[in-house]
Amino acid sequence: MMLDDFLMRAALAGLGVAIAAAPLGSFVVWRRMAYFGDATAHAAILGVAVALAFSMSVFVGALVMSLIMATTVSTLSGRGFAMDTLLGVLAHSALAFGLVAVSFLSGVRIDLMAYLFGDILAVSQGDLAVIWGGAALVLGLLAWRWQALLTATLSPDLAYSAGIDPRREQLVLTLALAVVVAVAIKVVGVLLIAAMLIVPAAAARPLASTPERMALIATLIAAASALGGLRASFAMDTPTGPTIVCAAAMIFAATTLGSSLWRRHRSPSVL
């Protein structure tokens, strides 16, 4: 295993993002938080601009802005704002302000397309350390709070009766989501991070009978999408980030169609 090989580094980066995003994506799907992930991801571009302006780490800038966005959405939700409207305003505003801020950076060379759609082939060994460190943090958070998160997701009232604070569990998810956005920005870009959160989990849903099994299957699907998309991109000379998402989308179509056909086959014919 040669980490000097850019394809090996790209494969390891894709796997790192997959094992971080897929289990978290299961909660995003269960809680119907797709737009929440989108808004958090879009805020990362503003974080990139701030980081470059102050000569900070891009990872730190993206993480801080993602946390601010996620916390803002959590705070404003339930205070008279329609959630879909709030998320739409914040997501697109953050992306627009980020793109405008980047245009003001003089003397800084930035490949905007790499941050929008990812540049997995340019991942360095330092990036790998950040990605896998972030993945370990996310998995640790989810393992630590798994049962509490499931209970709060199932029913806030049930969570309160069990001594669990749903707002605290929401904060755990918020932190995990911000970390995933920060580590995934180099691999799939801010415009595709939400897809990597949602599509593998949605593809796993028809195949799973328990939450734990769904999270595991989603992780396997995300890993297969990352490796398969990387190989297809290299073979067909296509953009790697979008190709990875396309691979996940194809698996989603296959599992959805397969489960539909299976249910039709198992159900008795009605004359």
Side-chain angles (χ1 to χ4, degrees):
M1 183 179 295
M2 294 291 293
L3 288 180
D4 289 335
D5 182 358
F6 76 97
L7 280 179
M8 180 58 68
R9 292 197 303 270
L12 289 173
L15 287 175
V17 170
I19 66 172
L24 182 62
S26 298
F27 282 101
V28 171
V29 169
W30 293 331
R31 287 173 169 251
R32 299 178 181 176
M33 292 170 56
Y35 283 117
F36 187 87
D38 217 24
T40 306
H42 284 182
I45 278 291
L46 186 54
V48 169
V50 172
L52 293 175
F54 291 95
S55 300
M56 296 164 45
S57 164
V58 168
F59 169 77
V60 172
L63 177 61
V64 169
M65 288 307 303
S66 297
L67 272 173
I68 291 174
M69 172 63 79
T71 305
T72 301
V73 172
S74 295
T75 303
L76 293 180
S77 62
R79 295 195 177 185
F81 295 92
M83 181 56 75
D84 57 345
T85 303
L86 176 65
L87 289 173
V89 170
L90 292 177
H92 298 297
S93 298
L95 181 60
F97 276 109
L99 294 176
V100 170
V102 167
S103 70
F104 283 110
L105 296 176
S106 59
V108 177
R109 185 180 178 187
I110 176 173
D111 182 4
L112 195 56
M113 293 295 287
Y115 289 109
L116 290 175
F117 298 103
D119 191 8
I120 191 174
L121 298 180
V123 167
S124 65
Q125 292 189 27
D127 293 328
L128 277 181
V130 170
I131 289 170
W132 279 90
L137 177 59
V138 170
L139 291 179
L141 276 174
L142 292 180
W144 174 45
R145 305 301 304 170
W146 181 265
Q147 198 57 51
L149 284 168
L150 277 180
T151 305
T153 299
L154 178 65
S155 169
D157 293 334
L158 181 61
Y160 277 121
S161 65
I164 298 169
D165 184 358
R167 300 288 294 183
R168 182 184 60 202
E169 304 313 316
Q170 175 74 23
L171 185 61
V172 171
L173 282 180
T174 296
L175 175 61
L177 189 59
V179 172
V180 166
V181 168
V183 300
I185 189 172
K186 193 72 177 282
V187 177
V188 291
V190 298
L191 297 183
L192 301 176
I193 289 172
M196 282 304 291
L197 282 166
I198 298 163
V199 178
R205 197 167 196 170
L207 307 178
S209 55
T210 65
E212 292 80 9
R213 187 170 296 178
M214 178 173 161
L216 176 61
I217 294 174
T219 303
L220 295 176
I221 290 174
S225 301
L227 296 179
L230 178 62
R231 177 164 185 162
S233 169
F234 189 73
M236 299 185 296
D237 193 25
T238 55
T240 309
T243 306
I244 290 173
V245 176
C246 285
M250 292 173 66
I251 296 175
F252 168 75
T255 60
T256 302
L257 179 61
S259 65
S260 176
L261 292 175
W262 176 253
R263 285 195 303 269
R264 185 174 301 178
H265 173 73
R266 291 293 299 271
S267 60
S269 301
V270 178
L271 298 178

